[in-house]
Amino acid sequence: MYAILDIETTGGKFNEEGITEIAIYKFDGHEVVDQFISLVNPERDIQPFVVKLTGINSNMLRNAPKFYEVAKRIVEITQDCILVAHNAQFDYRILSTEFRRLGFEYERKTLCTVELSKDLIPEQDSYSLGKLVRSLGIPVTDRHRASGDALATVKLFKLLLAKDTTKTIIQKSVKLSAKRKIEPRHLDIIESLPSITGVYYIHKSDGGIIYIGKSNNIKKRINQHFTGTNSKSKKLQSKVASVTYEATGSELVALLKESEEIKKNKPLHNRALRRSTFTHALYVFKDDFGYLNLKIDVADGRKKAITTFSNRESGKSFITKAVDEYKLCQKLSGLYKTKTTCFGYDIKACEGACIQKETPESYNKRVEALIEKNSYSNKNMVIVDRGREVDERSAILIENGVFKGIGFFNLNYQINNPKVLESIITPMENNKDAQHIIQNYLRKNKRLKILSLD
């Protein structure tokens, strides 16, 4: 018997979080036979970002039962069950912490659907619950609410059970609570780290760097390393002596520093990230009729790309949106193979470039507008992003389409002054990975401030 659950929390410091909502579905391997869903008054403040994510605020919880009032029901519904959750380590830790506050040792075997999914459904783009269930065609409602996420986990677990025909992986994956505790030395390291955006460095006893990473929440990310059960996490746990970090404020700065420093330091456990971060690129060519054609293809360093993508799917998604935004022809954008009109022309979304009805001059203007927006080739500009402090911003300098480096400046400075810019910028290598990181970040963050230096 399984108890499939999801917990929403207040957020906050490690092991100081409180439960705001819990959903448990008792599952016999075929169907749900019992369920318990409840808001919970955590008797502590909810972090603003959590309110924004879940929609659960303090007013909703004022009259909700406190944890001690629902504890008996949780014990009963999970009795003789294996706890199943997406990132079970987190849910089990939170639940056990709440019971310890009541003086009760809560122990159950656990199964993690993240680990199971990586074994049984390999090579997915993401194993976050939302993206994973969407890619598998599993419907999900009330995302980031306990009931919706737990029900999606039930459907995912049902699929995983069907895929594990021999049941060997399920059996191997069942964890006993005793194996899930964080070592005291790891707890000390976690406590010393801030919940900020930056680059972190995991050191062994002689000070050597064995892993470099970036995160929007360094404390949370290191906690994941120290509670993870995959091969890499276990190696890091056994070798770590200390963790240092560098605050960046900006995720873009963190991504650029992480990429460059992994290449320079070549840490033992960063093997995967030493390779290029992109596989596909967008290219343009002119056909025999004078029309600019777009094509997503495997990245080729010998060709000049407009922009690059982490995978083919990401590139195809970009082109699909661009066709709608710029009213481009599906045929000339590589989305619709045909010798006649594209589907867009049939529904009056394309102006006929596919059959030379629209002139090349008219059509090419829109393609050029797309290229201009998504390529910083030959441009002189500064990308302004968050800084490490409230009164600070970060600057990413591009000169003649070449990435020059990064820096930080106080809001009182005028950074369009070349001398000021020169003094704050730390030079960095302009390589294809850096270009990909910048272009990808610009695509995803439309509201970034960009100062033209032309």
Side-chain angles (χ1 to χ4, degrees):
M1 194 71 76
Y2 305 96
I4 301 175
L5 75 152
D6 186 78
I7 290 170
E8 302 301 332
T9 74
T10 57
K13 290 185 178 179
F14 183 79
N15 275 355
E16 291 183 15
E17 310 100 318
I19 294 176
T20 57
E21 187 177 35
I22 185 167
I24 304 173
Y25 291 95
K26 196 169 186 176
F27 182 66
D28 66 1
H30 306 283
E31 60 184 357
V32 173
V33 295
D34 194 5
Q35 65 182 54
F36 172 67
I37 302 162
S38 179
L39 289 170
V40 180
N41 184 340
E43 301 181 87
R44 65 198 69 211
D45 293 333
I46 307 173
Q47 297 291 309
F49 79 92
V50 175
V51 175
K52 191 175 180 181
L53 182 69
T54 65
I56 300 172
N57 58 51
S58 297
N59 288 335
M60 293 169 61
L61 305 177
R62 190 170 289 126
N63 298 317
K66 297 178 174 66
F67 185 76
Y68 74 85
E69 296 176 277
V70 298
K72 184 182 177 184
R73 176 69 174 124
I74 293 170
V75 170
E76 289 172 346
I77 196 171
T78 62
Q79 192 71 45
D80 300 322
C81 289
I82 296 170
L83 294 189
V84 179
H86 205 71
N87 190 9
Q89 174 68 37
F90 171 80
D91 295 80
Y92 185 65
R93 176 179 67 80
I94 296 293
L95 206 50
S96 300
T97 300
E98 289 279 18
F99 275 109
R100 269 197 301 276
R101 289 171 186 155
L102 301 178
F104 180 81
E105 281 300 318
Y106 180 81
E107 293 185 356
R108 297 288 187 272
K109 293 180 179 180
T110 61
L111 263 175
C112 179
T113 51
V114 175
E115 293 175 24
L116 288 174
S117 298
K118 287 177 178 178
D119 281 331
L120 295 166
I121 320 169
E123 298 179 8
Q124 292 292 307
D125 288 340
S126 171
Y127 288 91
S128 71
L129 183 62
K131 290 179 180 177
L132 181 61
V133 295
R134 266 199 305 275
S135 71
L136 298 172
I138 296 172
V140 58
T141 55
D142 277 345
R143 183 78 179 95
H144 297 300
R145 289 296 298 269
S147 177
D149 285 0
L151 205 51
T153 307
V154 170
K155 293 168 184 173
L156 172 62
F157 187 57
K158 206 169 182 178
L159 183 148
L160 293 169
L161 286 174
K163 284 188 172 291
D164 188 24
T165 52
T166 62
K167 297 297 175 279
T168 51
I169 292 174
I170 295 284
Q171 289 173 51
K172 286 179 184 175
S173 299
V174 173
K175 301 290 193 309
L176 293 170
S177 60
K179 296 178 183 176
R180 307 303 294 256
K181 293 178 181 175
I182 303 178
E183 289 186 29
R185 67 191 180 97
H186 293 160
L187 279 172
D188 290 340
I189 291 172
I190 291 169
E191 282 303 313
S192 70
L193 297 171
S195 300
I196 60 170
T197 298
V199 180
Y200 59 88
Y201 310 84
I202 298 180
H203 304 264
K204 55 184 178 176
S205 56
D206 65 0
I209 299 171
I210 57 173
Y211 188 81
I212 297 174
K214 80 92 202 165
S215 179
N216 289 326
N217 186 331
I218 292 173
K219 181 191 284 281
K220 182 179 178 182
R221 186 71 187 101
I222 294 299
N223 179 46
Q224 289 170 340
H225 283 310
F226 289 172
T227 56
T229 55
N230 60 34
S231 175
K232 184 177 80 176
S233 291
K234 287 177 180 176
K235 287 174 184 175
L236 291 176
Q237 290 160 24
S238 67
K239 294 176 183 176
V240 62
S242 63
V243 177
T244 58
Y245 65 90
E246 184 176 344
T248 63
S250 159
E251 185 183 7
L252 175 55
V253 173
L255 285 163
L256 290 167
K257 285 187 73 66
E258 176 197 37
S259 176
E260 176 153 296
E261 295 193 15
I262 286 171
K263 288 180 174 64
K264 283 182 179 177
N265 292 283
K266 297 182 173 58
L268 178 63
H269 297 292
N270 279 109
R271 284 174 185 157
L273 290 175
R274 289 185 211 157
R275 297 190 293 271
S276 289
T277 54
F278 62 93
T279 61
H280 288 74
L282 176 64
Y283 297 103
V284 63
F285 65 92
K286 191 173 278 189
D287 65 20
D288 294 339
F289 299 103
Y291 293 92
L292 292 175
N293 285 231
L294 297 169
K295 185 181 182 183
I296 299 292
D297 207 348
V298 175
D300 185 341
R302 296 166 298 180
K303 298 178 185 175
K304 186 178 179 182
I306 296 166
T307 188
T308 51
F309 306 94
S310 300
N311 51 54
R312 184 179 289 277
E313 290 71 29
S314 176
K316 190 175 179 182
S317 173
F318 170 82
I319 279 290
T320 302
K321 289 174 185 173
V323 164
D324 289 338
E325 185 179 348
Y326 292 89
K327 294 183 170 53
L328 302 181
C329 172
Q330 293 171 319
K331 177 182 174 181
L332 303 188
S333 301
L335 291 178
Y336 196 82
K337 290 185 178 180
T338 177
K339 292 182 179 179
T340 55
T341 59
C342 70
F343 178 69
Y345 181 77
D346 296 338
I347 60 170
K348 296 182 169 55
C350 166
E351 297 185 26
C354 41
I355 51 170
Q356 296 86 54
K357 185 176 179 182
E358 181 183 11
T359 65
E361 293 76 19
S362 170
Y363 181 77
N364 290 349
K365 280 181 183 177
R366 299 199 298 281
V367 178
E368 286 161 358
L370 166 70
I371 295 169
E372 171 71 16
K373 185 177 178 182
N374 290 280
S375 169
Y376 56 76
S377 181
N378 303 319
K379 288 183 183 177
N380 293 294
M381 65 184 192
V382 178
I383 303 165
V384 179
D385 204 0
R386 291 177 180 174
R388 298 160 297 188
E389 307 291 342
V390 176
D391 60 351
E392 183 183 69
R393 294 291 181 269
S394 56
I396 295 89
L397 177 63
I398 311 290
E399 285 184 353
N400 296 318
V402 175
F403 167 54
K404 288 293 186 178
I406 60 175
F408 297 94
F409 65 96
N410 187 280
L411 288 175
N412 295 323
Y413 279 88
Q414 294 294 316
I415 61 159
N416 49 7
N417 181 316
K419 286 186 178 178
V420 173
L421 256 179
E422 189 178 331
S423 67
I424 67 167
I425 293 296
T426 301
M428 291 180 73
E429 187 182 344
N430 176 55
N431 55 47
K432 292 187 181 298
D433 285 335
Q435 291 167 11
H436 167 72
I437 288 167
I438 294 168
Q439 290 173 328
N440 193 46
Y441 195 81
L442 290 173
R443 278 201 303 273
K444 291 179 178 177
N445 297 272
K446 307 285 186 186
R447 296 181 182 178
L448 274 176
K449 185 177 180 181
I450 297 176
L451 298 179
S452 175
L453 301 178
D454 290 324

